């Protein structure tokens, strides 16, 4: 299970569990240095802590991973697809301000929720760039009513050994191989994704370790985005980075650089992991 904060790993003081309480500057510093995350027991800097999911199952389904808003599980009806469910509020990090309003809105208008947003983003990518988009995006198929709730059905990404691809986050938590080789290979894969996005001006701004899974290929690693929401919906009040190509490119470069820094910082940090990621 690739839970960014599974189990009871996070026993941080309240201010660490409420990143939105920090001032903007402090929050940014923490994000860059990863101190909040490291202090709360995770080896991978830069992720906000989430309320723990205490088991490897969610409503009886096998969990593959979780993000801030959704849990991703196996699909009992098809091994080639996965299901994503929007988590109830008490299983998400606390929200204030615009985020809180967005959640309230999505509760009343589900079409503005995460699953519908990601489905719309995938359809847009597919329409605009055709089949080639599958090199770096795992596409979603539909929203489906299931016995466990409404789910987004998305294609699973497999590694060359036939196993589900692990997220960059999981690789940083429990690296498959030691040393510089992995850092270089992951950073090269980030470079490759960055160039690919820049060439097409695709506004994938949420370039974080949990949104990218790693596929091994003969000539290196390839990153595949499993969370395309940010292609359509950003965090800016006035979304200028979506309107201007030069701002878009600058932002992609910044985000890719930040991800490379996180990869280097995580794999350079000596010492045991708080708790190895189990399964995926
Ligand atoms: N298509 C997929 N293939 C493999 N793993 C996936 C896939 N989609 C999601 N995951 C796993 O689920 C986790 C959370 O999914 P994500 O869509 O990022 O949720 P959120 O919207 O909460 O950020 C990811 O970090 C990844 O580990
Ligand atoms: Mg995500």
């Amino acid at each position: 299970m690739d839970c960014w904060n599974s189990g009871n790993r996070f026993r941080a003081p309240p201010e660490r569990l409420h990143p939105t309480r920090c001032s903007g500057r402090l929050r940014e510093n923490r994000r860059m240095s990863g101190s909040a995350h490291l202090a709360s027991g995770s080896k991978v800097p830069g992720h906000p802590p989430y309320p723990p999911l205490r088991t490897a199952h969610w409503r009886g389904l096998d969990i593959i991973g979780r993000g801030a808003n959704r849990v991703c599980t196996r699909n009992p009806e098809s091994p080639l697809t996965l299901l994503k469910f929007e988590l109830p509020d008490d299983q998400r990090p606390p929200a204030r301000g615009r985020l809180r309003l967005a959640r309230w809105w999505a509760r009343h208008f589900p079409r503005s929720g995460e699953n519908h947003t990601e489905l719309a983003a995938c359809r847009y990518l597919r329409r605009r760039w055709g089949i080639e988009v599958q090199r770096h995006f795992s596409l979603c198929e539909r929203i489906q009513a299931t016995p466990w709730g409404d789910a987004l059905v998305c294609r699973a990404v497999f590694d060359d050994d036939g196993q589900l691809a692990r997220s960059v986050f999981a690789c940083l938590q429990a690296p498959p191989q030691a040393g510089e080789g992995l850092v270089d290979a992951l950073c090269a894969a980030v470079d490759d994704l960055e160039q690919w996005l820049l060439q097409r001006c695709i506004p994938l701004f949420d370039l974080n370790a949990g949104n990218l899974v790693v596929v091994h290929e003969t000539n290196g690693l390839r990153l595949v985005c499993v969370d395309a929401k940010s292609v359509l919906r950003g965090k800016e009040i006035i979304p200028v980075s979506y309107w201007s190509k030069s701002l878009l490119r600058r932002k992609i470069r910044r985000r890719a650089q930040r991800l490379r820094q996180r990869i280097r910082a995580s794999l350079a940090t000596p010492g045991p992991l708080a708790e190895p990621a189990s399964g995926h």
Side-chain angles (χ1 to χ4, degrees), residues 66-83:
R66 75 160 293 178
N69 304 295
R70 293 179 294 176
V71 60
C72 176
T73 70
R74 286 186 194 276
N75 184 354
E77 287 176 1
S78 148
L80 298 180
T81 61
L82 301 171
L83 301 175

Side-chain angles (χ1 to χ4, degrees), residues 53-263:
L53 292 176
R54 291 179 196 286
T55 65
H57 304 285
W58 191 80
R59 298 183 180 167
L61 298 169
D62 292 342
I63 296 177
I64 299 301
R66 75 160 293 178
N69 304 295
R70 293 179 294 176
V71 60
C72 176
T73 70
R74 286 186 194 276
N75 184 354
E77 287 176 1
S78 148
L80 298 180
T81 61
L82 301 171
L83 301 175
K84 283 192 195 179
F85 298 91
E86 294 178 14
L87 287 165
D89 273 1
D90 62 350
Q91 289 174 30
R92 300 186 190 207
R96 304 181 93 196
R98 274 198 314 138
L99 186 55
R100 193 168 175 169
L101 184 66
R103 282 194 196 162
W104 178 88
W105 192 260
R107 260 200 311 278
H108 292 81
F109 302 96
R111 287 197 156 263
S112 69
E114 285 82 15
N115 278 351
H116 279 279
T117 305
E118 189 178 3
L119 182 61
C122 286
R123 286 185 173 158
Y124 162 73
L125 287 167
R126 185 63 212 267
R127 247 191 343 266
R128 176 71 182 77
W129 282 278
I131 198 82
E132 67 154 333
V133 86
Q134 293 187 41
R135 176 167 171 76
H136 287 295
F137 284 92
S138 129
L139 295 183
C140 307
E141 295 182 354
R142 62 190 177 278
I143 308 268
Q144 184 179 317
T146 73
W148 309 277
D150 285 354
L152 177 66
V153 181
C154 44
R155 306 222 186 119
V157 181
F158 296 98
D159 209 342
D160 56 354
D161 59 359
Q163 299 293 311
L164 274 175
R166 300 168 79 220
S167 66
V168 173
F169 181 83
C171 291
L172 300 183
Q173 284 273 297
Q177 62 192 83
E180 272 299 300
L182 178 61
V183 177
D184 291 345
L186 280 174
C187 288
V190 176
D191 295 345
D192 176 51
L193 175 62
E194 178 187 6
Q195 290 312 314
W196 191 87
L197 294 170
L198 289 172
Q199 280 159 14
R200 290 160 187 80
C201 279
I202 297 180
L204 180 69
F205 296 137
D206 243 353
L207 279 180
N208 72 48
N211 288 343
L212 300 166
V213 297
V214 183
V215 177
H216 290 75
E217 294 190 320
T218 35
N219 52 353
L221 303 178
R222 174 166 55 94
L223 298 183
V224 179
C225 171
V226 295
D227 182 354
K229 293 194 299 285
S230 64
V231 168
L232 280 194
R233 191 174 73 187
K235 290 171 183 148
E236 299 161 341
I237 295 178
I238 303 170
V240 283
S241 311
Y242 291 85
W243 303 337
S244 148
K245 284 193 176 171
S246 64
L247 291 179
L248 182 152
R249 289 201 176 97
R250 260 170 52 190
K251 194 160 176 172
I252 295 277
R253 287 197 187 98
R254 244 183 4 252
R255 293 293 152 92
Q257 181 59 11
R258 190 185 290 170
L259 181 58
R260 281 186 290 265
Q261 281 168 0
R262 282 183 185 154
I263 290 168

